[in-house]
Amino acid sequence: MEIKVLHQVMEWNEDVSEQVKEILAAHQICMINLMGSPGAGKTSLISALIGRLKKDFRIGVIEGDIAGQVDAERIAGLGIPTVQLNTDGACHIEAMSIRHILPEFPLDDLDVIFVENIGNLVCPAEFLIGESLRITLLSIPEGDDKVEKYPLMFTDTDCLVLNKYDMLPYFDFDEAKVRANYETVNPDAPLFRVSSRTGDEMDALSDYLAGQIRRAKEGNPAKEESAGDDTDATGKEMR
């Protein structure tokens, strides 16, 4: 009986996810779902991307947290329309919450909405929220075993970002192992190595996302565009 109920919940969420997609498509908005552990640097990454994308795109942010609004205040301080979503204990964001939040934004005045999902590597991967693109963030201090331990998070994503890459010399982190495991579960998705703090390789990631945003505005599926000729940025040549 419990399995049947869960199945119904997932189907209901998928139906609402499709409704969210239709709303976003009508306004030519690309919604990017950023997932990762607490402390992986999700808010810092969004802040760094805002600095690089805001000259070309109009940006909004949904900040998901179990409680509090610290991250939302940080993003709003950049002059970006921001809505705080508190789940009051839930470990993920569902599509219905996104559908309820969208009217809080001036949708006709936005090109992209970043969603910072709840910090963990399990539940967010299971729930579609109407996103155009999924990004999984893995920071160097978290360790190199996460793809093996949480395969769904790295399978159901459109790209992997290794964040805090400037800290690689200070941690026992086997990048080759991560790349090999990632290629096994998600062989066609790009991988970026960045540091939100120093800005290293952030231009490559922002260029990739800019291409996805433009595709959404043109009414084409985001995701399908490759990262172009910059194979160093995606890391594909090292797999």
Side-chain angles (χ1 to χ4, degrees):
M1 179 63 67
E2 291 181 359
I3 294 176
K4 182 178 181 181
V5 171
L6 178 60
H7 182 66
Q8 289 176 347
V9 168
M10 296 297 286
E11 283 190 346
W12 172 79
N13 184 79
E14 290 176 5
D15 290 342
V16 179
S17 176
E18 290 300 317
Q19 295 171 15
V20 171
K21 282 186 177 182
E22 291 174 3
I23 295 170
L24 295 172
H27 295 275
Q28 297 180 311
I29 295 174
C30 177
M31 188 165 74
I32 299 174
N33 183 6
L34 181 61
M35 304 176 290
S37 300
K42 296 186 294 297
T43 308
S44 296
L45 182 69
I46 290 173
S47 298
L49 288 169
I50 287 172
R52 286 164 172 78
L53 295 171
K54 66 180 181 180
K55 66 180 183 299
D56 296 317
F57 303 104
R58 301 163 297 175
I59 303 170
V61 175
I62 296 173
E63 278 292 341
D65 285 297
I66 290 177
Q69 57 184 41
V70 175
D71 293 338
E73 291 172 353
R74 179 177 173 184
I75 298 297
L78 301 175
I80 299 299
T82 307
V83 175
Q84 176 70 54
L85 170 59
N86 287 344
T87 63
D88 299 323
C91 61
H92 60 276
I93 294 174
E94 295 183 8
M96 181 61 75
S97 295
I98 299 298
R99 196 179 74 173
H100 287 160
I101 284 174
L102 288 181
E104 301 296 326
F105 286 100
L107 296 180
D108 288 331
D109 298 323
L110 293 179
D111 301 309
V112 57
I113 296 176
F114 284 98
V115 179
E116 180 176 337
N117 216 311
I118 308 301
N120 74 78
L121 292 175
V122 183
C123 305
E126 299 178 0
F127 287 83
L128 298 172
I129 59 172
E131 65 270 70
S132 309
L133 195 75
R134 286 183 153 198
I135 298 176
T136 295
L137 190 63
L138 173 64
S139 66
I140 298 301
E142 291 179 72
D144 54 27
D145 58 355
K146 298 301 179 287
V147 182
E148 294 174 274
K149 289 183 174 181
Y150 308 99
L152 183 63
M153 176 61 71
F154 298 88
T155 302
D156 289 352
T157 191
D158 298 300
C159 76
L160 171 61
V161 175
L162 293 182
N163 193 30
K164 304 184 182 181
Y165 198 77
D166 55 309
M167 302 184 74
L168 186 64
Y170 309 105
F171 288 86
D172 185 15
F173 186 94
D174 188 342
E175 182 181 348
K177 174 183 175 181
V178 172
R179 289 179 177 276
N181 290 333
Y182 182 50
E183 183 178 35
T184 298
V185 299
N186 204 343
D188 298 321
L191 183 154
F192 296 87
R193 303 167 296 179
V194 308
S195 169
S196 302
R197 184 179 67 85
T198 67
D200 290 348
E201 301 298 333
M202 284 297 302
D203 287 342
L205 177 59
S206 62
D207 287 348
Y208 169 76
L209 294 182
Q212 306 303 312
I213 297 167
R214 291 190 180 98
R215 288 184 66 86
K217 287 187 65 62
E218 293 167 358
N220 299 318
K223 305 184 184 182
E224 292 183 0
E225 181 180 282
S226 70
D229 297 328
D230 190 358
T231 53
D232 288 340
T234 66
K236 286 185 176 179
E237 84 291 352
M238 297 180 64
R239 291 186 176 181

